[in-house]
Amino acid sequence: MSLDVLWFIIIAVFWTGFFVLEGFDFGVGVLHQVVGRTDTERRVAINAIGPLWDGNEVWLIVGGAAIFAAFPSWYATWFSAGYLALMLVIVALILRGVSFEWRAKLDTDRWRGTWSWALTIGSLLTPLLLGVALGDLLAGLPIDSSQEFTGTFWDLLTPYGLWLGLTLLVLCASHGATFLGLRTTGPVVVRSRELARRLGVPTLVCVAVYAVWTVAISDAGAWRILAAAVPVVAAAAAVVLVRAERGGQAFAASALTVGGVVAALFANLYPAVLVSSTSAANTLTVADTAASHYALTVMTWVAVAVFPLVLLYQGWSYWVFRARISAPPDPAGDTGQLRPAGRRPRG
């Protein structure tokens, strides 16, 4: 396998890992006002992702940086075309990050309500916009022979890209509800499991349409059809497992669905990296846009040294914060302090 193909696969892994890990905390951000009727219940949901969300976003940063370093022409064309949309993504990510930090700074309903809505909007916009951007890679953008984007902002809103954005948004919500069913207790876990049941069928429909659409617009061979079928099977399994109240297995199936959707996109995109809707001759490919062999060699050795450490650190983080989050048992004694379930409060 050549290094440029290897790095295309690595980039696909980064984007897939990002949506699998960040997908559930996007979902928690979208749903925390639905599963939490009181401020304490909303904080139970938010605290379930509190120690994890910023580490999950590392995958997005590394995924973008890897495209910049390994495929500079792809980066230049794609990011230039989606400049305004990417600014919206950055604003949405800032809204999420700031809401986590500032929501608890003042103990007033208006303040906390404002930052709750900031968290909801930021968590909703990010997977939607990133889904549109990823979908555009396969749907095609107006690219000329100089690898320059010749369209406008409205050309970014391709029907396939919009559907992938909607699919990822619904998937993240379903993934988040399943995650809260594993990580919380009390009324929050009851409402989360009910939401996961209700979102199961709409999620399956979105993924099935996405799979058929992906195969229809790509040069589909047998293995590409198989790649598109994997998330459909996983989504169907998630529906069955959620209704059977097998929380851990349902979450695994949900994670496979999210990862399968993103992986299927890259599988059907290869060997292109950005399809041109102007002319097939202008389509950007792995071979055309790759950096030099020396640069890819250095990047490969760095990845071999650093990537296992990142995986170990994230695995350790998830293990340390594995306990369920619960609210104080007595509402009259609610001091605002949340704690992992099964542990006694100090003092």
Side-chain angles (χ1 to χ4, degrees):
M1 180 185 299
S2 62
L3 286 179
D4 53 355
V5 176
L6 174 64
W7 271 96
F8 179 81
I9 294 172
I10 291 174
I11 288 167
V13 169
F14 283 145
W15 280 91
T16 301
F18 166 70
F19 273 101
V20 169
L21 296 176
E22 187 80 339
F24 65 75
D25 71 54
F26 283 145
V28 172
V30 170
L31 298 176
H32 79 283
Q33 296 192 81
V34 179
V35 298
R37 304 282 171 81
T38 66
D39 182 65
T40 300
E41 290 174 357
R42 291 185 195 108
R43 282 185 294 122
V44 167
I46 293 172
N47 283 13
I49 58 172
L52 309 173
W53 70 271
D54 45 359
N56 295 339
E57 287 189 356
V58 169
W59 289 71
L60 175 64
I61 297 170
V62 176
I67 295 176
F68 170 77
F71 300 96
S73 299
W74 176 16
Y75 178 91
T77 304
W78 188 31
F79 280 61
S80 297
Y83 187 77
L84 181 56
L86 288 171
M87 289 300 103
L88 291 175
V89 169
I90 291 173
V91 169
L93 288 171
I94 291 174
L95 272 180
R96 272 172 50 82
V98 171
S99 66
F100 284 122
E101 299 296 331
W102 286 14
R103 190 180 181 281
K105 297 300 182 185
L106 289 180
D107 191 14
T108 66
D109 291 342
R110 186 173 182 179
W111 177 266
R112 292 189 171 182
T114 298
W115 290 110
S116 270
W117 277 110
L119 174 58
T120 301
I121 293 170
S123 301
L124 187 151
L125 283 179
T126 307
L128 179 66
L129 293 171
L130 288 177
V132 173
L134 287 173
D136 287 345
L137 295 176
L138 183 59
L141 293 174
I143 307 295
D144 66 14
S145 58
S146 301
Q147 300 184 348
E148 296 285 345
F149 175 67
T150 58
T152 66
F153 172 80
W154 304 109
D155 290 308
L156 302 176
L157 305 179
T158 60
Y160 176 78
L162 288 170
W163 186 262
L164 179 54
L166 175 66
T167 299
L168 285 173
L169 175 59
V170 174
L171 261 174
C172 288
S174 176
H175 200 32
T178 309
F179 176 77
L180 287 175
L182 288 174
R183 291 279 285 119
T184 60
T185 62
V188 176
V189 75
V190 173
R191 294 184 197 121
S192 299
R193 288 172 178 170
E194 178 60 27
L195 264 177
R197 279 191 287 272
R198 292 186 178 185
L199 288 169
V201 172
T203 302
L204 175 59
V205 171
C206 286
V207 173
V209 172
Y210 159 77
V212 172
W213 202 336
T214 300
V215 171
I217 66 173
S218 63
D219 184 18
W223 67 277
R224 296 177 195 264
I225 295 174
L226 177 63
V230 168
V232 180
V233 175
V239 171
V240 173
L241 292 167
V242 165
R243 293 185 177 181
E245 298 185 352
R246 296 184 178 181
Q249 295 174 17
F251 182 74
S254 177
L256 181 60
T257 307
V258 177
V261 164
V262 181
L265 175 83
F266 282 94
N268 281 273
L269 181 62
Y270 180 82
V273 293
L274 174 54
V275 173
S276 171
S277 59
T278 306
S279 169
N282 299 337
T283 292
L284 278 63
T285 66
V286 169
D288 294 339
T289 58
S292 68
H293 181 77
Y294 174 77
L296 294 177
T297 302
V298 173
M299 289 173 60
T300 303
W301 283 112
V302 172
V304 168
V306 175
F307 193 52
L309 296 178
V310 173
L311 291 179
L312 284 173
Y313 174 77
Q314 282 215 295
W316 176 76
S317 299
Y318 276 78
W319 176 256
V320 168
F321 297 106
R322 67 188 182 281
R324 288 179 181 268
I325 303 297
S326 65
D330 180 7
D334 185 352
T335 61
Q337 300 298 314
L338 303 179
R339 64 179 191 278
R343 296 183 183 179
R344 295 181 179 178
R346 293 180 179 177

